Amino acid sequence: MSSGTLLVIAGFGAGLAGSVAGLASLCSYPALLAFGLPPVAANVTNTVAMFSTTVGSATGSRPELRGQSRRAAKLIATAAAGGSVGAWLLLSTPASAFEAVVPWLIALGSVLLLARDPLRRRAEARSAARAASDGPPSFAPLVVPVGLVGLYGGYFGAAAGVLMLAVLCASATEPLPVTNAVKNLATGAANVTAAVAYAFLAPVHWPAAAVLSCGCLVGSWIGPKVVRRLPEKPLRYAIAAAGFGLALYLQVV
């Protein structure tokens, strides 16, 4: 099997995993390393290729995104700002220090997903209190965590979707497919912002990015359809388990 075919398959898996679980790089980043790219080149090439994941997942999630435009706009702006800072950090500082904490961040996101039920109960209690006082939900508590996840997504990106999903699940009282669709837009904004910078300033391997993105586009379009049909709790546990697996993989490589 040719390396191009392997990248298409890895891209499909990345698009599917990214739109369903926020774990696109579980498939794509190791595939680019296996393709022969050094870590930094693999990272920036992966970021550029993930643009198609954003397009595919947004297209496939139109039912879940109805009525979410104002909320999504705030999340997109905040995550994009964080992504631009993350891209700047990658281009101007050594990657070794940040990469050392990446597995721990991913593991933390998985823990938050497993603890989502008690966190959601607290969010429901806050929502009831706001309704009783006629106060609107506040976006302010999300600015810092969403911005930090955006920064992480722009800098390295592996499992940024896990972290974003954990943050949004802790603050929302909605079905998982809706939260997942909004998550895809937010992480996509950080990714696109960083990808624009990398396209001009970083060693992107364009042939690999193009081949990988083709598979990502198809996989990410199918992903939301998978989310609609899977039971919520097993899916969330599977996402958390995959996050722990990726954290362990990044710790030992």
Side-chain angles (χ1 to χ4, degrees):
M1 186 180 294
S2 69
S3 57
T5 302
L6 288 174
L7 283 179
V8 171
I9 295 173
F12 177 82
L16 187 64
S19 59
V20 171
L23 287 168
S25 294
L26 179 65
C27 298
S28 56
Y29 183 70
L32 289 168
L33 293 177
F35 183 70
L37 298 184
V40 172
N43 184 26
V44 297
T45 300
N46 183 58
T47 299
V48 170
M50 289 301 107
F51 171 75
S52 62
T53 299
T54 303
V55 174
S57 60
T59 302
S61 299
R62 283 178 293 179
E64 288 78 15
L65 292 173
R66 291 193 186 101
Q68 299 291 327
S69 57
R70 292 184 62 185
R71 173 193 180 197
K74 294 177 181 179
L75 290 170
I76 287 170
T78 305
S84 64
V85 175
W88 174 79
L89 285 174
L90 181 67
L91 294 171
S92 59
T93 62
S96 55
F98 194 84
E99 288 179 3
V101 302
V102 163
W104 301 103
L105 290 173
I106 296 170
L108 173 61
S110 298
V111 169
L112 290 173
L113 284 178
L114 291 176
R116 196 207 64 178
D117 285 343
L119 292 172
R120 174 171 281 189
R121 284 193 290 270
R122 292 185 63 183
E124 289 172 345
R126 289 195 301 270
S127 297
R130 284 195 299 264
S133 62
D134 294 325
S138 174
F139 178 73
L142 287 177
V143 171
V144 172
V146 170
L148 288 175
V149 175
L151 185 155
Y152 169 67
Y155 189 95
F156 185 66
V162 169
L163 297 172
M164 188 68 75
L165 187 61
V167 168
L168 296 181
C169 279
S171 63
T173 56
E174 62 197 6
L176 182 61
V178 175
T179 310
N180 190 67
V182 175
K183 173 267 294 180
N184 288 334
L185 292 182
T187 53
N191 182 84
V192 169
T193 303
V196 171
Y198 296 156
F200 292 98
L201 301 173
V204 176
H205 192 292
W206 289 103
V211 173
L212 189 66
S213 66
C214 291
C216 287
L217 182 63
V218 178
S220 60
W221 180 75
I222 293 174
K225 299 174 176 28
V226 174
V227 173
R228 291 183 201 122
R229 289 165 173 77
L230 290 178
E232 180 173 329
K233 185 172 289 188
L235 175 61
R236 183 158 43 89
Y237 289 168
I239 293 171
F244 285 126
L246 180 57
L248 180 61
Y249 169 81
L250 293 174
Q251 183 68 42
V252 300
V253 296

